[in-house]
Amino acid sequence: MTPTAAPTSRRFFGRKVFAVIGSQNLHRFWREAAYCLSGGIALALLTLACFRFQSNIATATCLYLIVIVLVSLRGSFISSTLVSIIAVACLDYYFTPPLFSFQVRDSINIVAIAAFGTTSAAITGLVSRVRRLMEEKLQQSEAYLLEARRLSNIATFSWTASTGKILWSEESLRIFQYDRTTTPKMELVLQRVHPEDVALVKQTIERAAQDGMDFDFEHRLLMPDGSIKYVHIVAHALRDKSTALEFVGAVMDVSERKRAEEALRQAQADLEQVSRLNTIGELTASLAHEVNQPIAAAVTDASTCLRWLTRDHPDLEEAREAASRMVMDATRAAEIIKRIRLLFNKSAPERESIDINEIIREMIVLLRNEATQYSIFFRTDLAEDLARVMGDRVQLQQVVMNLVINAIDAMKDVDGTRELIIRSQQAEDGQLMVTISDNGIGLPPQQADQIFNAFFTTKPHGTGMGLRISRSIVESHGGRLWAGDNSPRGASFHLTVPTQVEARE
Ligand code: ADP
């Protein structure tokens, strides 16, 4: 909470506490009257008992004090003060000579009555104060709780499975968009559920009512204005044998979180797509496709041209048209190839001083979600004070990303722990070494020596260019990239690059 927000919130909670107290005034008046009456009756009964057993003033004083403490604990300051006054009067009237008179003859008795009065006043004051403080604290935390529920979009509810009776908090009305007068019913809840999720909700509820099990699930709501909300519902079953099966739970509006997650996922997918498209492998594939089209068209035109020429009466006009279409197709193909060359010229590496550990950390952040999706854990062992390298940041990022994505692909379908370890260390001859190890399916048996070949892939949608390009990037940086088996399972990829000092030399 910001310093400026604090006084406003305190005023808000103060008002809330005050409102709570105000609404209960009448009820409180009758309750206090009842406490006074029962305190008076208790004093009368004790006085009678004292007379019956001929008890002395000390016994009566103790018994009266007990009544005062009990009334103070239950009632307010006013009711306990009233009972204290009645007790002092009774002590004076019934137990100090002359009896049955409010006169007090001996000074010792005056002192005794004064001491009793002071003690009862102290007890009354003290107990009332403690109680008031506790009540205020309770009301304040209730107000805080209400506010917290409102801020966190959490509604609470209870549902008795056998009768279908539902009780819900005000926040539920806001989430489901019903007005205050609405009586909560299961049909009303289902009315708001997104048509595609109705079956899931009904099934979950029916199963919970049958088995008496807790439930916890998410679904969508379709609001009257056509907007969609995401809600998370958690309910706990109260399995008290003496009462009907009841669920108490919470409904959380998680729409914001869902939208943020979706936006993040989309951004990551886009980023990954861009990074992947950036690799020369993807470019090669898509450009090869582009070049293929005009060449295929040129071949068709060429055979059409031949057909017109080899007829008994060659149609030169048609043949000329086919030949000029052929020229256009060939020109288009040449244009595409020119574009490819321009593109490669543009991507001439830019050398800068790079912290390899930083690149590794960036890639982990980018790919963490993808890894989590397949229950893959990242573990890093990055050497501190690692020397920097001179290189092209984007290209080196592509290499690390490609190796990590390959490792994730290799672990997607294996059983057991899926762990990806990235290690960086200072190697010999002024080189830096990065090792990426996984415990996935391992390198393809009998073909491990081919994985760096262009277009070698074992994946249904693979390009087989990732490792080829990664190796040429690393080699263009003066380093090496190779692979080996990981123990006890999976593969390890190692890359070395010269450190900045080494590269300068
Ligand atoms: P792609 O990923 O498109 O198949 P790559 O050149 O990146 O292209 O990889 C070539 C092949 O090398 C993959 O198809 C796979 O068989 C093998 N490979 C790469 N990384 C791993 C790894 N971490 N574990 C097992 N095999 C791998």
Side-chain angles (χ1 to χ4, degrees):
M1 198 179 281
T2 60
T4 47
T8 324
S9 315
R10 267 203 293 278
R11 271 206 303 281
F12 172 78
F13 290 120
R15 270 209 307 277
K16 272 211 159 168
V17 170
F18 191 72
V20 173
I21 292 168
S23 69
Q24 292 176 350
N25 268 351
L26 193 66
H27 173 70
R28 197 168 262 190
F29 171 77
W30 289 114
R31 210 177 55 194
E32 293 312 320
Y35 284 134
C36 279
L37 193 68
S38 39
I41 292 171
L43 289 177
L45 289 175
L46 288 174
T47 311
L48 271 179
C50 287
F51 268 108
R52 172 89 177 73
F53 297 108
Q54 293 175 352
S55 314
N56 58 13
I57 186 167
T59 316
T61 309
C62 288
L63 293 172
Y64 284 175
L65 275 178
I66 292 171
V67 174
I68 290 167
V69 169
L70 289 176
V71 174
S72 305
L73 281 173
R74 305 290 303 170
S76 72
F77 178 74
I78 298 172
S79 55
S80 44
T81 307
L82 275 175
V83 173
S84 301
I85 293 170
I86 298 171
V88 171
C90 286
L91 210 61
D92 180 2
Y93 196 79
Y94 294 113
F95 295 97
T96 52
L99 297 185
F100 306 111
S101 146
F102 285 112
Q103 274 182 12
V104 187
R105 210 177 291 137
D106 305 333
S107 51
I108 185 80
N109 284 334
I110 294 176
V111 173
I113 289 176
F116 174 78
T118 316
T119 314
S120 52
I123 290 173
T124 306
L126 204 70
V127 174
S128 301
R129 195 153 165 221
V130 171
R131 281 197 48 219
R132 201 175 54 244
L133 280 175
M134 280 168 62
E135 267 171 23
E136 271 180 18
K137 269 218 152 33
L138 188 71
Q139 282 163 350
Q140 203 178 37
S141 36
E142 270 172 11
Y144 271 121
L145 192 67
L146 266 175
E147 188 58 7
R149 274 196 214 148
R150 198 184 64 77
L151 288 175
S152 56
N153 288 342
I154 296 180
T156 46
F157 69 90
S158 74
W159 170 51
T160 312
S162 55
T163 60
K165 187 181 167 197
I166 296 177
L167 295 175
W168 62 20
S169 68
E170 240 178 69
E171 195 53 29
S172 315
L173 296 167
R174 202 194 58 73
I175 292 178
F176 287 93
Q177 286 179 13
Y178 283 118
D179 60 45
R180 279 164 177 268
T181 52
T182 314
T183 313
K185 282 194 202 106
M186 190 54 84
E187 298 90 79
L188 292 179
V189 174
L190 291 174
Q191 235 174 56
R192 289 283 190 258
V193 177
H194 193 287
E196 286 172 19
D197 294 349
V198 170
L200 164 88
V201 175
K202 276 188 176 163
Q203 196 188 1
T204 313
I205 291 174
E206 278 165 17
R207 199 176 320 134
Q210 235 170 36
D211 308 343
M213 302 290 281
D214 297 353
F215 56 87
D216 179 343
F217 69 111
E218 277 185 13
H219 69 85
R220 288 166 298 171
L221 300 180
L222 182 62
M223 307 319 290
D225 62 0
S227 62
I228 289 182
K229 278 187 187 178
Y230 290 84
V231 287
H232 185 149
I233 301 189
V234 187
H236 175 61
L238 299 176
R239 289 183 213 86
D240 187 349
K241 286 204 178 71
S242 60
T243 59
L245 174 66
E246 192 187 1
F247 291 88
V248 286
V251 182
M252 284 159 275
D253 185 347
V254 292
S255 311
E256 287 302 316
R257 195 196 77 199
K258 276 273 170 194
R259 280 183 198 118
E261 272 175 14
E262 179 55 27
L264 186 68
R265 205 196 54 70
Q266 189 57 47
Q268 278 176 343
D270 290 349
L271 199 65
E272 196 184 318
Q273 173 80 352
V274 167
S275 309
R276 287 218 151 202
L277 272 178
N278 256 346
T279 64
I280 304 170
E282 290 284 321
L283 276 177
T284 312
S286 61
L287 291 171
H289 178 72
E290 257 190 87
V291 176
N292 202 31
Q293 271 183 334
I295 290 177
V299 170
T300 315
D301 291 332
S303 45
T304 314
C305 181
L306 278 178
R307 245 196 348 268
W308 289 121
L309 290 175
T310 51
R311 278 161 69 128
D312 292 343
H313 303 288
D315 189 333
L316 291 180
E317 187 48 31
E318 289 288 357
R320 199 185 57 77
E321 266 182 32
S324 44
R325 280 202 305 272
M326 218 160 70
V327 173
M328 269 159 55
D329 290 331
T331 317
R332 220 167 87 215
E335 276 292 316
I336 292 169
I337 289 167
K338 201 165 102 195
R339 250 172 38 216
I340 300 172
R341 291 183 57 192
L342 276 176
L343 214 73
F344 284 132
N345 285 345
K346 258 195 228 157
S347 66
E350 285 179 15
R351 303 278 158 168
E352 58 180 304
S353 167
I354 296 166
D355 177 359
I356 278 278
N357 285 346
E358 202 177 287
I359 287 187
I360 294 172
R361 287 192 201 101
E362 280 168 8
M363 288 305 108
I364 290 176
V365 171
L366 271 180
L367 297 168
R368 192 180 292 283
N369 254 23
E370 168 108 5
T372 313
Q373 207 180 325
Y374 298 104
S375 312
I376 295 169
F377 295 98
F378 277 119
R379 198 145 67 79
T380 50
D381 178 8
L382 308 181
E384 282 174 18
D385 303 327
L386 210 58
R388 299 174 79 87
V389 298
M390 280 301 278
D392 185 307
R393 167 177 286 272
V394 177
Q395 285 189 347
L396 290 177
Q397 276 174 344
Q398 273 176 20
V399 172
V400 176
M401 181 178 243
N402 188 45
L403 296 179
V404 173
I405 289 177
N406 274 349
I408 293 175
D409 283 346
M411 284 189 283
K412 272 178 186 170
D413 300 320
V414 295
D415 294 330
T417 332
R418 299 168 186 178
E419 197 174 47
L420 198 156
I421 306 172
I422 308 183
R423 194 169 284 130
S424 70
Q425 58 193 316
Q426 197 70 45
E428 291 162 3
D429 308 328
Q431 301 261 324
L432 262 185
M433 181 149 90
V434 176
T435 307
I436 297 177
S437 313
D438 60 70
N439 46 14
I441 46 172
L443 298 175
Q446 276 104 45
Q447 293 173 306
D449 54 340
Q450 295 176 38
I451 60 171
F452 289 96
N453 293 350
F455 306 115
F456 174 86
T457 181
T458 52
K459 301 174 195 171
H461 303 292
T463 61
M465 286 302 288
L467 288 179
R468 177 75 203 92
I469 292 161
S470 298
R471 181 175 260 180
S472 52
I473 290 177
V474 174
E475 285 174 356
S476 75
H477 281 75
R480 273 192 334 115
L481 174 65
W482 72 99
D485 291 328
N486 187 30
S487 167
R489 196 181 72 197
S492 275
F493 283 78
H494 311 270
L495 73 92
T496 57
V497 267
T499 60
Q500 206 167 333
V501 183
E502 187 71 12
R504 250 190 243 123
E505 283 164 5

